[in-house]
Amino acid sequence: MRVFVTGASGFIGSAVVAELRRAGHQVIGLARSRESSDRLVGLGAEVRLATLADLDRLRAGAAAADGVIHLAFRHGEPFEEAAETDRQVIEALGDALGGSDRPLVVTSGTLVLPAGRVGTEADAPDPAAPAAARAAGERAALAFAARGVRASVIRLAPSVHEREKRGFAGALIDIAERSGVSGYLGDGSQRWPALHRQDAARLYRLAVEHAPAGSVLHGVGEQGVALRAIAELIAARLGLPARPVPAEQAEAHFGWLATLVGTDAPASSQATRVLLSWEPSYPGLLDDVQHGDFFGEAQR
């Protein structure tokens, strides 16, 4: 299968490319820079140079492929604007595949779901959820299931990790180092789903190969890791106190993470595991934080 992958040179995308190549697929990766292009060539992928604003080139890339995995997202710009760009890209990719029964796998997040209970694949997005803006992309993708596209959505856990400092855990480490406190809100019982990057890569491969049209899948390895457990591990590694941050100081302490650290958002992937015979097998978030390079050589 020739698979067109957006976000192919990123943290998750590069693992997806490697997974697809190991399974014998050809990969055409979207790249927006020479550095990204070189990285993809090193992974054995062909390269299509474009940005997410180049909708015609995205359509052409999808039209020339046997299937599409869409991972790219404009992180670092206002979330609602990035989500609208994402919806437009999904529409362009789906249009190119219409009537072909070819697969289109797009990315959302479990943070579109209602908070305070275990979210499932059958749950609809909650307009009040932290990542609610991504629901428009979900709807756009799933609508193509009625237009002859084998469209599916993967809702990723908010913490996709491997043994390097990045993601939400990496941000909490930066905050702790800057403030001198490894903090949490309330009693720290808020739960974040997590998934190892290599387990995510395998899920994307299985989805592009086998997911039925209209599937909603959950990229979740651990249903919910307690915020306090993460904070206490960070505190132990940095030699700092772990303690609650008053709610009125949350924004000043956590910055852009303030809303997320206050959200209890566990999620299940049971239906996904059954549907695709997918079983996460790599280390969990705390194991990677403990034994990886989240703290640098000086803290090992």
Side-chain angles (χ1 to χ4, degrees), residues 164-176:
E164 57 184 275
K165 182 182 176 183
R166 61 184 306 122
F168 288 168
L172 288 175
I173 292 169
D174 289 340
I175 292 167

Side-chain angles (χ1 to χ4, degrees), residues 12 46-47 69 71 89 100 115 118 134 155 164 173 178 197 236 238 240 252 260 281 291 299:
I12 301 171
E46 299 175 33
V47 176
I69 293 175
L71 278 156
V89 170
S100 69
V118 178
R134 296 205 76 165
R155 292 172 176 161
E164 57 184 275
I173 292 169
R178 182 173 65 249
R197 178 171 73 140
L238 293 177
L240 297 173
L260 299 182
S281 59
H291 300 292
Q299 297 295 333

Side-chain angles (χ1 to χ4, degrees), residues 177 234 236-239 290 292-300:
E177 290 176 329
I234 292 170
R237 291 298 304 271
L238 293 177
Q290 174 67 38
D293 192 27
F294 279 73
F295 300 94
E297 293 294 334
Q299 297 295 333
R300 284 187 173 185

